[in-house]
Amino acid sequence: MSEAATAAVAVEGRNLVKAFGQGNAAVRALDDVSVTIAKGEFFTLLGPSGCGKTTLLRLIAGFESPTSGAILLDGRDITALPPNRRPVNTVFQSYALFPHLTVAQNVAFGLQMLGKPKAEVAATVDRMLALVKLEAFAARRTSQLSGGQQQRVALARALAPAPQVLLLDEPLSALDLKLRKEMQTELKRLQTETGITFVFVTHDQEEALTMSDRVAVMSAGQILQTGSPRQIYTRPANRFVASFIGETNFLTARISGGAAHLAGGVIALPAGTADTASATLAIRPEHLRLAPPGTPGALPATVAHSVYFGTDSHLHLRLADGAELVARQQTSADGAAGPEPGTEVGVLIAEGAVQVLQE
Amino acid sequence: MAKRSARPFSVTDLPGFATIAIMAFVALYVPILTLVAYSFNGATSVAVWGGFSLQWYVAAWDNTVVQAAAMRSLGIAACASVLATTVATMAALGTTRTAPFRGQTAIYVAINQPLMVPEIVTAVALLIFFAAIKVATGYTGLAYLVMAHTAFCIPFAYLPIRARLEGMDLSLETAAADLYASRWRTFRYVTLPLLAPGIAAGAMLAFVISLDDVVITEFVKSAGQDTLPTYMLGQMRRAITPETNAISTALLALTVLLLTAFFLLTRKRD
Ligand SMILES: Nc1ncnc2c1ncn2[C@@H]1O[C@H](COP(=O)(O)OP(=O)(O)OP(=O)(O)O)[C@@H](O)[C@H]1O
Ligand SMILES: [Mg+2]
């Protein structure tokens, strides 16, 4: 969603701080987080365990109140509203289905609490169960369902009241790989069909990249970068983002005159790159090409070893100054093996592939 | 070196285990079985077997004093268990569904005080306390017994309810709040239905405990307020008759029934 910045805002977090505990023992689960989520967007919070993803979601849902900062929904300050008065629903990681109710009663719960008329409740429940393809299970107890089915009930239950925002806390993490892939597609379909703003939490970078309109990468209670999957992958703002998403080579170089100077050579950089005595360059393995040694513009390197993955192999290369680089090479059609360890090669870096990181 | 046994250590392998187990069961159940057997005794003596007969059950059933005591016992147990369960439910919610607060342990101890203070001490204290109130108000009805029973039944109702609340998945209540349920409706539509087996178990335990009480009842009751246990105690002082056996057996049957229900309600579901 490239127009995200100009589209109507669904959720806004302003300078959110959440501290648990008192005094010296206090943990800052969120440390001055500001975030803007557009209407109808599939927005993903991505980050390692303990970085504060769940905490941010719980603040939006209202299960927790921020130590400081404000939460706005559709432009209205909802910081002080209890969860039952926020038009926001949650799909819990553990599903949290009511064990004493049937599937249909679970889905009806939110509508009933909103005081919707009986006929409307019944119609919406039918529609929701059809949406998640569970019509046949309406009268079942939730304990009689498989993990994937429970997950869909949780989804239907949260979607039934037509919330302005749907919060999903690692909803797929309990599923096996195959079901997970299926549900990813399913979720994306539901989001497109309903047009509801999704705030999705995951620590799986692939999931984040494939499903999201925009991703916020979090670490240690802060949002490090927000952007489209493409922006995050190709233009990581810092070393953490670059290494957390996909694989990246890091090189240290001196920058002057619009080029990076390494021990074995010079790499051209985009015009206007500021001079620095020591900068970190990030280069994705798939943007490195091997060339015969001595090719103009190629960095001289030695093959250290290679790891074969089937569709491609990772060549570990050593540069003149001892720095290591990994280059990804597609397996050739004839299946020929790549260069042997010890081979002298040249490394060509695709134009625009180098990202100068701010530390 | 001892040969390593293929089986892990089990207490049942210890020498004398079977003997001790049998002795324990004998000590526990032979007296009860004797009591039950002799309640069907056709003879007037409690020691000589005179053939199978239900005469003592008929005698007890037809005895108006026994009838009155039984009704009183059941009435008090019903009132006390309802009151105790209500208080216990509120107390359990207050000690599990609130943020930890100062003095929480003290409150926990206070709620369970009747389990720890010797019953005779409570009985004497209540006797003196209620005597003063009786003089002051002139009221001498059954309410004193109901109040006393309620008080010592509370911990028995509290413990199973609290156990169930603690075992409950808190995210269910969070989910209810997320789905627009106010605090009250969360309690009404989620917590309470899930807690119901715990409440029923607590009520049943309280009922049995109240039904069975002798010491406090004996001290607190006014004239003509015998419950079944205090009536039996009074009878025993004069003469032991198989009628007492019959009443005891009936009481035992009721208790076993209620405790079985309690067990079924509190056991873990698989
Ligand atoms: N109720 C709490 N009391 C104290 N500390 C908490 C509490 N909840 C979270 N924290 C702390 O806040 C930090 C962020 O927790 P949070 O649950 O938001 O992480 P997360 O990003 O969701 O991690 P995960 O991927 O493991 O679920 C952690 O260090 C955690 O220990
Ligand atoms: Mg989490």
Side-chain angles (χ1 to χ4, degrees):
Chain A
M1 230 191 187
S2 51
E3 69 276 47
T6 52
V9 171
V11 186
E12 189 182 346
R14 283 190 190 154
N15 306 102
L16 290 169
V17 174
K18 178 68 190 176
F20 289 108
Q22 305 282 310
N24 287 340
V27 179
R28 281 203 160 204
L30 287 181
D31 194 359
D32 195 11
V33 165
S34 292
V35 64
T36 307
I37 300 165
K39 273 201 180 133
E41 192 174 28
F42 196 117
F43 189 88
T44 298
L45 299 171
L46 174 67
S49 187
C51 69
K53 306 179 296 286
T54 298
T55 306
L56 182 52
L57 222 56
R58 289 175 64 85
L59 286 184
I60 299 174
F63 306 140
E64 217 88 63
S65 50
T67 309
S68 68
I71 299 157
L72 285 79
L73 191 82
D74 209 7
R76 188 167 60 110
D77 190 328
I78 57 159
T79 317
L81 281 188
N84 56 310
R85 297 188 40 211
R86 298 186 183 196
V88 167
N89 288 146
T90 309
V91 177
F92 294 85
Q93 181 168 3
S94 57
Y95 311 146
L97 298 177
F98 303 126
H100 59 298
L101 302 180
T102 64
V103 168
Q105 287 168 334
N106 264 279
V107 177
F109 193 89
L111 296 161
Q112 284 165 344
M113 292 301 124
L114 284 173
K116 299 276 188 232
K118 265 206 172 87
E120 189 189 328
V121 173
T124 312
V125 169
D126 286 347
R127 204 156 41 78
M128 285 303 139
L129 289 178
L131 198 64
V132 297
K133 305 188 181 106
L134 282 177
E135 300 99 318
F137 297 86
R140 287 251 194 126
R141 291 267 157 186
T142 55
S143 55
Q144 301 164 332
L145 299 180
S146 73
Q149 290 165 341
Q150 289 185 18
Q151 156 42 237
R152 291 197 301 223
V153 176
L155 206 58
R157 185 180 70 174
L159 282 171
Q164 287 180 27
V165 177
L166 188 72
L167 308 173
L168 305 102
D169 193 354
E170 306 202 26
L172 309 181
S173 62
L175 306 179
D176 63 39
L177 191 68
K178 187 169 168 291
L179 202 54
R180 199 179 166 131
K181 295 277 177 219
E182 260 174 52
M183 284 306 299
Q184 286 179 1
T185 322
E186 194 99 324
L187 267 182
K188 191 68 195 171
R189 175 180 69 86
L190 284 173
Q191 197 260 334
T192 321
E193 269 173 36
T194 58
I196 293 173
T197 310
F198 275 35
V199 183
F200 184 87
V201 164
T202 182
H203 56 244
D204 180 334
Q205 45 138 327
E206 190 191 317
E207 200 165 275
L209 294 181
T210 54
M211 299 175 76
S212 323
D213 293 315
R214 283 197 307 149
V215 179
V217 182
M218 295 184 67
S219 170
Q222 294 183 318
I223 293 184
L224 299 182
Q225 187 177 4
T226 308
S228 68
R230 205 167 284 276
Q231 282 167 348
I232 297 252
Y233 187 80
T234 57
R235 292 285 172 260
N238 55 39
R239 193 177 179 125
F240 179 87
V241 176
S243 62
F244 191 73
I245 298 171
E247 278 166 273
T248 310
N249 293 300
F250 294 106
L251 290 176
T252 311
R254 179 173 58 85
I255 298 180
S256 72
H261 299 261
L262 293 122
V266 174
I267 309 169
L269 293 176
T273 310
D275 289 3
T276 341
S278 172
T280 302
L281 311 180
I283 310 161
R284 298 287 182 191
E286 63 270 28
H287 295 144
L288 299 177
R289 290 278 163 278
L290 294 195
T295 308
L299 299 173
T302 317
V303 176
H305 64 276
S306 76
V307 184
Y308 178 66
F309 284 100
T311 58
D312 51 19
S313 35
H314 286 183
L315 280 178
H316 292 250
L317 309 167
R318 190 162 295 122
L319 295 183
D321 60 354
E324 275 229 14
L325 276 182
V326 177
R328 180 177 297 165
Q329 285 217 304
Q330 285 231 315
T331 306
S332 60
D334 58 6
E340 291 293 310
T343 316
E344 302 277 324
V345 293
V347 184
L348 283 170
I349 299 171
E351 198 171 331
V354 179
Q355 180 71 8
V356 181
L357 299 178
Q358 324 143 1
E359 286 305 294
Chain B
M1 241 179 90
K3 195 174 137 261
R4 271 187 64 128
S5 137
R7 279 193 303 155
F9 170 77
S10 163
V11 75
T12 54
D13 295 340
L14 291 179
F17 176 82
T19 322
I20 292 174
I22 289 168
M23 274 164 59
F25 278 111
V26 166
L28 278 172
Y29 290 107
V30 170
I32 294 178
L33 290 176
T34 315
L35 169 98
V36 172
Y38 273 91
S39 71
F40 297 106
N41 194 354
T44 327
S45 160
V46 286
V48 184
W49 183 251
F52 181 85
S53 152
L54 287 175
Q55 61 167 320
W56 298 112
Y57 287 91
V58 176
W61 186 260
D62 288 342
N63 185 335
T64 52
V65 184
V66 173
Q67 281 172 11
M71 288 319 290
R72 213 171 281 121
S73 265
L74 292 173
I76 292 170
C79 293
S81 58
V82 168
L83 288 173
T85 310
T86 310
V87 174
T89 305
M90 293 193 282
L93 285 168
T95 48
T96 56
R97 287 298 186 273
T98 49
F101 52 89
R102 269 181 77 91
Q104 204 164 8
T105 317
I107 285 180
Y108 184 76
V109 172
I111 291 169
N112 292 303
Q113 163 270 339
L115 295 179
M116 290 167 259
V117 175
E119 210 182 343
I120 189 76
V121 174
T122 314
V124 173
L126 285 174
L127 171 72
I128 297 166
F129 182 63
F130 285 151
I133 299 181
K134 281 175 191 171
V135 170
T137 62
Y139 173 75
T140 54
L142 283 174
Y144 298 107
L145 277 175
V146 170
M147 273 193 283
H149 279 226
T150 303
F152 68 73
C153 283
I154 286 173
F156 292 96
Y158 172 78
L159 292 173
I161 296 174
R162 182 189 158 102
R164 191 151 179 107
L165 271 176
E166 281 183 334
M168 206 184 286
D169 182 0
L170 271 183
S171 70
L172 295 175
E173 286 166 32
T174 313
D178 187 61
L179 292 162
Y180 314 105
S182 60
R183 270 171 156 258
W184 162 248
R185 295 175 116 196
T186 299
F187 175 72
R188 169 70 187 78
Y189 294 111
V190 175
T191 316
L192 193 59
L194 292 172
L195 193 55
I199 293 178
M204 249 161 239
L205 203 55
F207 193 88
V208 169
I209 296 294
S210 163
L211 210 55
D212 172 56
D213 182 71
V214 178
V215 180
I216 289 178
T217 312
E218 186 68 27
F219 276 69
V220 170
K221 74 182 166 71
S222 305
Q225 291 185 346
D226 262 322
T227 61
L228 218 43
T230 61
Y231 165 79
M232 284 157 66
L233 185 67
Q235 287 296 299
M236 304 287 273
R237 288 210 187 99
R238 273 173 265 144
I240 308 173
T241 73
E243 190 192 61
T244 319
N245 287 5
I247 299 171
S248 303
T249 306
L251 213 49
L252 178 70
L254 180 62
T255 309
V256 167
L257 204 71
L258 289 170
L259 288 181
T260 308
F262 169 83
F263 170 77
L264 290 176
L265 285 168
T266 49
R267 79 169 165 181
K268 283 213 163 59
R269 303 229 183 98
D270 17 288

